[in-house]
Amino acid sequence: MSKLLQEIQKGKVLVSDGAWGTFLQQKGLQLGECPEAWNLSRPNDVFDIANSYIEAGADMVETNSFGGNYFKLKNYGFSDRVFDINKAAAEISREAAGENRFVLGSVGPTGKLLMMEEVTEIELYKAFKEQSIALEAGGVDAIMIETMTDLEEATIAIKAAKENTLCEVFCTMTFDKIVGGEYRTMMGVSPTEMTEAFIAAGASVIGANCGNGIADMIGIVKEIRQVNATIPILIHANAGMPIYCDGATKFPETPNDMAKNVLQLIDAGANIIGGCCGTTPAHICEVNKVVKQLK
Ligand SMILES: [Zn+2]
């Protein structure tokens, strides 16, 4: 078992990092520009993001590789650079994390829908395998599959990472609250269905990311805990429901708003808490203060 999972088993709550995409934009990433190409062209800026989360107190940091799969990189003409781009992403975050913090290799959806026959299962497996191997080569501790909405794509990603690397495999989906107060992904998957499928596929940490803010995550964690009492749960919450204004997306929750919900999230059963879109090092710093008071 990895050191990260041992910490959780000891009863520790761990703090993860915050947003990458919105942080890159703040550093000048242009619309239509490939975020992952910055690992090669602007490594210092990428390092800066990872480092600011470590400095904010995060126990782990992700990599700038969310869209680092073959299909997404192909849109930018980088389909032959998958290995270099992902390996560099992992190395940059490893450098920021040092040996005592953990690195989670971010793997996002391909953007290709199995249901619409835009891609085959074999092609998906191949793409996730290629990306996971490169992230492992760069030194990640775990493969962090995230923002998934399709159960099949997510389980293919888990298997590809599990069968081709020695890394732990984490996987989270993005849920919305639907009429009646239940949670579903855009493709109709419930937290209960996710829990059963992900554990069967070999994930060692599961949970939710993105979405409409940290308060909604409490219900999702409760539902996962009803299905499984022990699987470690990771939550990367957005800074509230995104507001579209003047062509820009704004996230309303302040670091304090986020911190206010942390204890309830832990009570519900969350083991790792961090942020997604709109969260900043200031958010992670406040979350960390709450978590560190527990010890
Ligand atoms: Zn997000």
Side-chain angles (χ1 to χ4, degrees):
M1 192 197 296
S2 73
K3 214 175 129 199
L4 197 161
L5 291 186
Q6 284 171 12
E7 300 274 290
I8 291 172
Q9 204 146 67
K10 280 186 229 159
K12 262 193 173 180
V13 174
L14 299 176
V15 176
S16 187
D17 65 359
W20 278 78
T22 40
F23 209 150
L24 286 160
Q25 285 159 18
Q26 207 185 307
K27 283 186 162 292
L29 181 80
Q30 298 299 305
L31 212 66
E33 197 182 344
C34 175
E36 292 77 21
W38 276 33
N39 298 331
L40 303 176
S41 63
R42 296 177 64 168
N44 295 338
D45 284 309
V46 178
F47 174 82
D48 221 41
I49 295 176
N51 193 50
S52 47
Y53 286 124
I54 294 292
E55 281 181 352
D59 298 300
M60 64 196 76
V61 67
E62 289 200 66
T63 57
N64 181 34
S65 57
F66 177 75
N69 64 74
Y70 169 84
F71 297 100
K72 284 272 170 78
L73 291 181
K74 195 178 172 202
N75 295 334
Y76 300 102
F78 294 128
S79 58
D80 57 344
R81 306 298 303 274
V82 173
F83 187 84
D84 300 342
I85 285 173
N86 284 283
K87 183 168 174 272
E91 286 168 350
I92 293 166
S93 289
R94 181 87 269 163
E95 196 189 332
E99 291 309 312
N100 296 322
R101 316 283 180 102
F102 306 106
V103 178
L104 312 181
S106 173
V107 170
T110 59
K112 299 284 176 197
L113 300 177
L114 272 170
M115 209 177 68
M116 304 301 290
E117 295 179 1
E118 293 170 352
V119 68
T120 66
E121 290 181 24
I122 293 168
E123 287 167 337
L124 280 184
Y125 185 92
K126 218 179 118 192
F128 289 125
K129 174 183 172 181
E130 180 185 31
Q131 190 181 6
S132 302
I133 288 173
L135 288 167
E136 183 181 44
V140 304
D141 299 293
I143 304 295
M144 176 73 251
I145 302 155
E146 55 188 352
T147 326
M148 287 288 166
T149 57
D150 180 25
L151 201 58
E152 242 187 305
E153 181 177 15
T155 49
I156 290 169
I158 293 169
K159 284 178 188 161
K162 191 83 192 157
E163 290 166 3
N164 297 285
T165 72
L166 297 172
C167 298
E168 298 287 349
V169 181
F170 298 5
C171 192
T172 59
M173 298 189 103
T174 300
F175 297 96
D176 278 312
K177 204 180 219 167
I178 58 166
V179 183
E182 297 192 335
Y183 297 95
R184 292 286 185 279
T185 72
M186 216 168 58
M187 308 284 275
V189 183
S190 70
T192 299
E193 290 170 304
M194 171 191 79
T195 302
E196 285 158 356
F198 284 8
I199 294 172
S204 46
V205 174
I206 65 170
N209 76 294
C210 222
N212 295 320
I214 192 165
D216 265 6
M217 294 296 193
I218 297 164
I220 297 170
V221 172
K222 282 182 180 164
E223 184 173 334
I224 297 170
R225 274 286 165 258
Q226 271 172 9
V227 188
N228 189 295
T230 54
I231 184 84
I233 299 176
L234 178 149
I235 295 297
H236 282 146
N238 278 0
M241 173 115 61
I243 300 161
Y244 300 95
C245 174
D246 295 332
T249 308
K250 295 203 168 103
F251 293 88
E253 286 181 8
T254 64
N256 275 323
D257 293 335
M258 193 170 177
K260 272 189 296 198
N261 286 289
V262 166
L263 284 180
Q264 256 184 290
L265 202 55
I266 294 167
D267 279 346
N271 305 93
I272 304 173
I273 300 170
C276 198
C277 307
T279 58
T280 64
H283 288 80
I284 298 308
C285 187
E286 291 304 314
V287 169
N288 189 44
K289 279 183 198 163
V290 178
V291 169
K292 289 296 173 315
Q293 277 169 10
L294 297 171
K295 290 166 195 167

